[in-house]
Each structure stands twice: as structure tokens, then as C-alpha cells.
Amino acid sequence: MPKVHLRLLFALVAVLSLVCVVNWHSSAQRSAVDTYAITNARIVTLNGPTIEKGTVVIRDGLIAAVGANVSAPADARIVDGNGLTVYPGLIDSYTNLGLPEAAPAPTTAGGPGFFQIAQARPSPGGPNSTQPVGLQPEVMVDDVIRPGGNEIEAARNAGITTALTLPRSGIWMGQSALINLAGETSQQMIVRSPVAMHVSFTPLRGSYPGSLMGVFAQLRQMMLDAQRYRDSMQIYERSPQGTRRPDIDKSLASLIPVIEGRLRVVMFANSEREITRALDLAEEFKLRAIIAGGREADRVAERLAKQDVPVLLSLNLPRRTTAALPEADPEPLRVLRDRVEAQQTAGRLARARVKFAFQSGGLTNMSELMPNVGRVIANGLSADDAIRAFTIWPATIFGVSNQLGSIETGKIANLVLVRGNLFDRAARVTQMFIDGRPVDLRPPTAAPPGAGETRNLGGAWNVVIETPQGQLNATLNIEQEGDVIRGVMQGSSGGTRNIANASISNSGELRFTVPTDIGGETREATFIGTLSGNEIRGQVTVEGRPPATFTARRRTPGE
């Protein structure tokens, strides 16, 4: 054989040998990294009885085997679970995890445009939307999800591996995604998208609809428009020749799966009245509804069960946020009763056979999450149902029970290893797997002073409302426990009305409504303002009336 051919042959053999070595090394390395065995652990499977001492094998991101008699594969990295309990990864059912912080609103202090907010910002729905910001159901949260962050770290330390994340604001808020709380890119994090359409009943500031009545009118109108849009598109598709092409409408097109029952609708509602209104709307348009918040859901449990409407129940339980002043009156019996009843809601829903899942409810301190579950268990919910409400029940509600929610072969290996009972204060999450990979648990980065603190509105406020007809004076008395805000407003004429639909964001944006009499009719005045120390400045809108501005100053003790 010629020498040149021999040299070529030797070179080819050398290259092939090198490729084989590299492939063998890569395969062995991948096997070593992607295969784990958790041994000698107590395993809460959720799809069967608890295994007191067993093994879970993880391979290629999935649960490969689980059982008392399962042996660890030779290529697996061993995790000794002695003294630990393995739970399915917990699911937080209503969050903003993975989203960038909301952009600050442009303001001009004191001027009439002081409260022009989100409408002035670019729309995530894009420039081609037919609707203003806040009324864009086409918004997809998966367009803005970002990995990492302090909030994700805090959630993982509490045992959360998966979360439903949704747009931060709006009436038609947009469409949510179910994400795993690990991954280098948003694509790696997303388990399912879209999961649901989200609706809130908070009026828009500075534009229509600026009242609760207007909100419901706009929701109904857009769903009726979506029905007509669907029908016109179907007519055109059947016979395009000779038929004028309908204009493309992204907003209405995104509502077609909603009105056809192919996409669930999550409506945020806490009070019995709000939940009833949401159920009426769902019944009117035959929506596949879910209630989020659900503080008083047990009061309409029979109807929720009848309409097969699940609840994403908040665990941000009401509590006193400030120490009582020595000169303060005792807390009203109603406040004390509501505080106790909030801890009984889950047990009552379970007994009424209403489907529900737990959500953190915007807790600013995630270390309170499991102790709050303990309070719920002490008030009538079984510990087994509490675990289900964090695992298999939300997985079922969101349509991913074949992927998540229990420890069984073939499911995504989202697992939490806990020393102690999951719901005890002394319990500690020691290790976590997300998508079959171990997660490095570490304390969240310290937040700046004041960040994440609950905004305190409690107390008496002097309110001055500047209208085109002149100045009005009122007194506002507010009680606040966690995210629950109640109060009464008394006008200078002596009339007293309860405030409703009250909420405050972490950035200090306050919203509430007050029924008011105008021309013999009762209409709702919507107050939207920003809290800064002991002062609130904002805007008041009433349907059919020009907007007014208001200033509220908190009274000092003895004033």
C-alpha cells in the first residue's frame, strides 16, 4: 500500500478513536450529572400511601422509579435521605414570580395629571392592539419572564418549585404561564403557556372604565364583540370570495378561546359580593371560571361546587400589622371574627367539596407561608388536604396533573426534601430538585430598607376632595390586617358609607370604591391614589362625571 494511503488510514483511525473517547466521556459525564437516587427517605407520593423508607430515582429530568424496594442505579449520584421527607414540589397558584418590577409611573406632583399612570406606558400587547393598556387580553406573560431574582429565591426556600405567574395589572390582565423556578432562560422555565386568562375588577385610572359598573359593562361588551368577531371570521373563511375581509383584532381574537370555554378565566375576588358578581358573569357567558383570593369563598361554597368553579385561596391571612396604642379602643368584634374565619375557609371549602389550591397571596415574608398553613390546619383542614392544595390539586386545576403534583414514574422530577413536618415552624427545606436537577438553596439577597414592607393605612384620615363645583370634606377611618383593608367614609353632611374593593400595592398605590348618591341614584366613586408617609394624593372618578382630585392626611393621636 502506498505510504500516503497508510498515513491517511492512520489519521482516520486516530480521529475515530478520539471521537469515541469524547463521546464516551460526554455520555458518562451526562449520566453522572443527570441521574440521582434519593435513598432511605420517607416519601409522600400523593398518588398512593406514604412510603416510610424508600428510594426515588431521577433520570434525565424525570422520575424514573419510586418505591420501598427500588435500588439505586450504578451510575446515580446518591442523596442520603435518612431523617428527611420527600414531597412533590409545591405549586404557588397566583404570583408575579419571574416578572421584572413594574415601571414607575410618570407623575407631576400636585398637577391635574398627577395620576395618569399605566396608560402612558408602552403596551406589552404591542402597538397593534385595538385596546388601551389594562384592556388587552392578548398580553402573554411568557414574553417578559426572566430567570432568577430575590423573590424566586425566597419562594424556593419555602419549598415552592413551580408557580403560576400572571401580568401585574389591568382589567383584562392577560394570559398566565406555569413556570418552574429554575432555568437559565425563560424557555427552560415554562411548563405550560397560556394557562388561563386573568381578570380583575379594579377600574382604570384616568380613563374609561373608571368605576366598577363601567368595568363590568366593558367586560361584557368585549365578550359580545368577540362573539361577533368570531362569527364574522368564520363567515369569511367559509366563503372569502366576494366577502369583505374583516379587520384583524388581536384583542378580540384572544377572547375567542375564553368565550368558547377552551381557556379558563381567573377572576380576582375576595368578598362574598365580589365572588357572587364574578360567578354571575361566568354563568352569563358560560365561562370556565376560577376564583383567586377567595377570602369569603366559603360563604358561597354551595354555588361554587354547583358551577364547578375552583378557588385559588390566599394564605396571606389577616393579622394585626401594628401594635395597639394604649389609648386605642378594643378591636371590633367583627374584625376579630373575620380574622378567625379567614383561617376556617379552607376547611369549609374542603367539606363542601369545592376544588381549591393554595397561593401565597403576595406575602412579603415567605417564611410566614407554612406557619399560616398550620393555622389553617388547626382550624379544620386536614394535613393531607393541605399538602394536596399545594401539589396535586393545583396541578389538576391547571391541566398539568400528568406532569406535576405527585411523585410517580414519568413525571417531572420536582422534589422537596424537608427535615421535620412541612408545616411546622421548625421545618427546614434541606434540598430541592427542579426539572431533575439539584437547586442551590441560599438566603435571598437582603432587600433595601423599607422594601417589601406592608404599607400601613390604619387610622383616621381627613379627606379634602376638589371638584369643579367646589371643595368637599370627609373623614376616612381605615382598619388594615395584612392585605385586608376595611373602612368607612363619613361626609360633612353626616352620611356614612363603607368602602369596598380596597387594595394597596407594594409601591403604595391605593384603590377603593365608595357608594355615593347623585341625582337620586347610587353610583360608585372610585378613589385611586398614592400613599407617601401620612399623606395620600389621588383622583376620584364617578361614572358620567368629570374627575376630581383628593388629598388625605392621617390624623395624629389626640387630633
Side-chain angles (χ1 to χ4, degrees), residues 223 226-227 230 255-262 285-287:
M223 284 190 283
Q227 291 173 350
R230 175 197 58 190
L255 289 178
I256 292 175
V258 171
I259 61 176
E260 292 183 345
R262 291 183 283 115
F285 286 92
K286 297 180 173 57
L287 307 177

Side-chain angles (χ1 to χ4, degrees), residues 470-488:
Q471 187 180 95
L472 301 174
N473 297 299
T475 300
L476 178 63
N477 288 285
I478 295 179
E479 301 166 356
Q480 181 180 355
E481 293 186 300
D483 63 346
V484 179
I485 301 168
R486 310 177 185 83
V488 294

Side-chain angles (χ1 to χ4, degrees), residues 168-236:
R168 292 181 182 275
S169 62
I171 295 173
W172 286 113
M173 300 170 71
Q175 301 172 53
S176 57
L178 192 69
I179 62 172
N180 278 340
L181 301 187
E184 297 178 358
T185 67
S186 58
Q187 289 77 18
Q188 291 176 357
M189 297 172 71
I190 294 170
V191 177
R192 181 176 180 179
S193 179
V195 174
M197 181 72 72
H198 290 259
V199 171
S200 82
F201 303 124
T202 304
L204 299 180
R205 62 162 51 178
S207 66
Y208 180 83
S211 70
L212 191 60
M213 183 183 299
V215 167
F216 276 89
Q218 186 68 14
L219 288 169
R220 287 189 176 92
Q221 187 60 56
M222 286 186 68
M223 284 190 283
L224 291 171
D225 290 345
Q227 291 173 350
R228 287 189 286 269
Y229 177 77
R230 175 197 58 190
D231 295 344
S232 66
M233 292 299 290
Q234 289 176 347
I235 291 171
Y236 179 76

Side-chain angles (χ1 to χ4, degrees), residues 225-298:
D225 290 345
Q227 291 173 350
R228 287 189 286 269
Y229 177 77
R230 175 197 58 190
D231 295 344
S232 66
M233 292 299 290
Q234 289 176 347
I235 291 171
Y236 179 76
E237 288 169 3
R238 283 196 298 266
S239 181
Q241 188 172 358
T243 304
R244 183 183 180 279
R245 175 177 55 82
D247 293 335
I248 298 299
D249 191 314
K250 291 168 58 179
S251 297
L252 298 183
S254 67
L255 289 178
I256 292 175
V258 171
I259 61 176
E260 292 183 345
R262 291 183 283 115
L263 185 64
R264 301 205 76 149
V265 184
V266 179
M267 302 180 178
F268 185 83
N270 263 316
S271 71
E272 179 180 4
R273 184 186 182 201
E274 293 169 344
I275 295 170
T276 299
R277 283 177 166 175
L279 293 176
D280 289 344
L281 187 68
E283 199 167 34
E284 179 181 351
F285 286 92
K286 297 180 173 57
L287 307 177
R288 294 178 62 218
I290 300 172
I291 298 297
R295 180 66 44 73
E296 297 179 357
D298 56 315

